[in-house]
């Protein structure tokens, strides 16, 4: 056993210096990403029409979706730490360069579009790699706790990134906000450099001379044949498809129809964040959830009921309470999905498996946004939220119906 593994055995994840370095780097990077997106939105709106601004923001999502599966191949071939470090370094250089350009001149909207494309491509590399890194820095028994810690870090980045970006824009315009984002990406680099991970036994096989297409098809074949991962990817696809539409486009339309306004959206989103944060804290403290496969499936099914309830509750306080429940159950199921993926998967395939689940979340599920908006306009929020919740519940029920996933356990 390596020295890094021995250290991970001696300490729980929240006391392991290696895990804490990774967590600090992830928090800085995620906060920088929040600041960057706020600055990009503001700069695009100021520099063009609303339609042009929307196009600029969409470019990142398109590039990310198209390249996500390739990102998993790259993470498995070259190692996740190298890809995470390279991604943050590229983002740091590009974003600081943009900040300097904005401070000295007024570039056209095409510059923002080019940066959005670069960030989308880099995200496609970063996301599978960051998901494949935890098994390299801790033991399998600590992975559920690491997922909880990552969830808490994400909450911190959301709470800190938006006001930090807004303050930077208010004080110095988009150039200052982009500069702040670049510094946050830079802060992650020394933490990642100090991270010590040992190569896994399967790493040598991952370096054999094969084509990227062969690596990708091997990864997809591995998922299809795996008794846990294959069904789990179907659960992820169905739950995300039913989850993201109502809680993005549908939520704004619901609040507008009920007369709750922007403040209502804020309160409901705060409820979602509070529930998700509580789920992350629970996993961080407990470190392991018994009967993980069964709990995962039930939380998805029950969370679907809470999503439907949002469209039927009589007032804003009840909607906020329902949102807390949605956040709690969705946060718990999401963390368990990540922990089961990392513990069940052969490390040589983990980047590719992570890229598939992320592709469903960030590539396929957002395609439901226009459909959700049009459906709410035609029939109102209640039937649309109910139909979306049914799709989400189908994912949970499918998980319960597959014995290998239902009986899946996290390591002790």
């Amino acid at each position: 056993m390596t020295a890094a593994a021995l250290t991970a055995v001696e300490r729980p994840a929240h006391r392991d210096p290696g895990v804490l370095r990774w967590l600090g780097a992830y928090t800085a990077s995620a906060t920088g990403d929040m600041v960057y997106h706020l600055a990009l939105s503001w700069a695009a709106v100021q520099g063009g029409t609303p339609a042009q601004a929307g196009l600029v923001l969409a470019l990142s999502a398109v590039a990310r979706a198209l390249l996500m599966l390739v990102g998993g191949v790259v993470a498995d071939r070259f190692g996740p730490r190298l890809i995470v470090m390279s991604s943050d370094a590229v983002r740091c250089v590009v974003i600081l360069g943009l900040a300097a350009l904005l401070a000295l001149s007024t570039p056209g909207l095409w510059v923002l579009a080019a940066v959005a494309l670069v960030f989308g491509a880099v995200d496609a590399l970063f996301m599978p790699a960051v998901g494949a890194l935890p098994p390299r820095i801790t033991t399998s028994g600590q992975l559920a706790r690491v997922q909880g810690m990552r969830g808490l870090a994400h909450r911190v980045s959301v709470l800190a990134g938006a006001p930090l970006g807004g303050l930077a824009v208010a004080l110095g315009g988009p150039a200052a906000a982009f500069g702040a984002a670049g510094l946050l990406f830079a802060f992650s680099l020394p933490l990642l450099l100090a991270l010590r991970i040992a190569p896994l036994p399967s790493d040598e096989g991952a370096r054999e001379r094969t084509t990227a297409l062969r690596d990708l098809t091997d990864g997809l074949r591995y998922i299809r044949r795996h008794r846990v991962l294959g069904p789990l990817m179907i659960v992820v696809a169905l739950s995300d498809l039913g989850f993201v539409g109502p809680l993005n486009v549908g939520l704004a339309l619901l609040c507008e129809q009920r007369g709750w306004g922007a403040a209502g959206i804020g309160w409901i989103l705060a409820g979602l964040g509070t529930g998700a944060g509580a789920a992350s804290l629970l996993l961080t403290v407990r470190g392991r959830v018994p009967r993980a496969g069964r709990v995962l499936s039930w939380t998805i099914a029950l969370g679907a009921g809470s999503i439907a309830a949002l469209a039927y509750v009589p007032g804003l306080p009840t909607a906020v309470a329902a949102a807390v429940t949605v956040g709690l159950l969705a946060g718990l199921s999401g963390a368990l999905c990540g922990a089961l993926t990392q513990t069940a998967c052969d490390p040589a395939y983990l980047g590719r498996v992570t890229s598939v689940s992320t592709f469903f979340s960030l590539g396929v599920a957002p395609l439901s946004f226009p459909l959700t908006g049009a459906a709410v306009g035609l029939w109102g929020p209640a039937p649309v939220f109910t139909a979306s919740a049914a799709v989400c519940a189908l994912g949970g029920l499918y998980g319960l119906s597959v014995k290998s996933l239902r009986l899946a356990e996290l390591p002790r």
Side-chain angles (χ1 to χ4, degrees):
M1 185 177 289
T2 65
L6 284 171
T7 301
V9 170
E10 292 169 359
R11 298 185 183 95
H14 61 281
R15 296 179 182 174
D16 187 334
V19 174
L20 295 178
R21 290 189 194 100
W22 169 81
L23 191 68
Y26 175 78
T27 305
S29 182
T31 306
D33 206 43
M34 289 291 300
V35 175
Y36 155 76
H37 279 101
L38 188 148
L40 181 68
S41 301
W42 184 261
V45 168
Q46 295 298 306
T49 66
Q52 290 172 331
L55 179 60
V56 168
L57 298 177
L59 288 174
S60 281
V62 172
R64 184 171 57 231
L66 290 176
L67 297 175
M68 184 67 68
L69 298 181
V70 177
V73 172
V74 173
D76 285 336
R77 178 169 288 202
F78 297 103
R81 186 180 69 158
L82 175 62
I83 302 306
V84 170
M85 288 178 57
S86 301
S87 299
D88 276 352
V90 169
R91 291 195 283 188
C92 175
V93 171
V94 170
I95 207 71
L96 289 178
L98 177 60
L101 184 62
L102 287 172
L104 298 173
S105 64
T106 306
L109 204 62
W110 67 269
V111 175
L112 298 179
V115 170
L117 276 174
V118 170
F119 262 69
V122 172
D123 279 348
L125 299 176
F126 175 84
M127 291 176 177
V130 81
L133 195 51
R136 313 267 181 144
I137 58 175
T138 190
T139 57
S140 59
Q142 293 296 316
L143 287 174
R145 178 171 278 129
V146 169
Q147 289 299 309
M149 295 166 69
R150 181 180 174 183
L152 288 174
H154 177 70
R155 290 293 112 205
V156 169
S157 71
V158 171
L159 292 174
L164 177 60
L167 179 63
V169 168
L171 294 177
F178 283 126
L183 293 177
L184 284 164
F185 289 128
F187 181 78
S188 73
L189 296 176
L191 295 174
L192 291 168
L193 280 170
L195 197 60
R196 295 291 177 259
I197 59 175
L200 296 168
S202 53
D203 284 351
E204 292 301 322
R207 296 194 187 99
E208 292 178 358
R209 294 286 182 181
T210 59
T211 65
L213 181 59
R214 173 67 181 275
D215 286 349
L216 177 58
T217 55
D218 284 347
L220 296 176
R221 190 179 300 113
Y222 173 78
I223 293 172
R224 181 173 60 84
R225 294 175 176 175
H226 200 285
R227 297 174 64 252
V228 173
L229 295 177
L232 184 58
M233 293 303 106
I234 295 174
V235 170
V236 169
L238 289 171
S239 59
D240 281 338
L241 189 61
F243 181 84
V244 299
L247 297 183
N248 285 275
V249 179
L251 185 60
L253 296 173
L254 173 67
C255 289
E256 181 184 22
Q257 186 185 82
R258 294 292 183 88
W260 297 338
I265 298 175
W267 278 109
I268 293 175
L269 290 176
L272 289 169
T274 300
S280 298
L281 182 61
L282 173 66
L283 278 176
T284 301
V285 172
R286 286 186 59 88
R288 181 179 182 274
V289 175
R291 300 180 178 85
R294 196 184 302 269
V295 172
L296 160 69
S297 300
W298 273 114
T299 51
I300 291 174
L302 294 174
S306 299
I307 292 173
L310 282 170
Y312 294 94
V313 293
L316 181 59
T318 319
V320 173
V324 172
T325 305
V326 172
L328 178 64
L329 295 173
L332 184 57
S333 64
L336 289 176
C337 277
L340 280 173
T341 298
Q342 292 174 352
T343 54
C345 184
D346 182 330
Y349 292 93
L350 189 50
R352 280 164 284 182
V353 174
T354 303
S355 74
V356 170
S357 62
T358 309
F359 174 74
F360 284 127
S361 302
L362 299 177
V364 176
L367 296 177
S368 67
F369 289 175
L371 180 61
T372 300
V376 171
L378 287 173
W379 300 302
V384 176
F385 273 64
T386 302
S388 297
V391 174
C392 190
L394 183 61
L397 295 175
Y398 175 76
L400 290 170
S401 71
V402 179
K403 183 178 180 181
S404 56
L405 179 56
R406 184 177 69 249
L407 300 180
E409 291 279 7
L410 294 173
R412 293 184 179 277

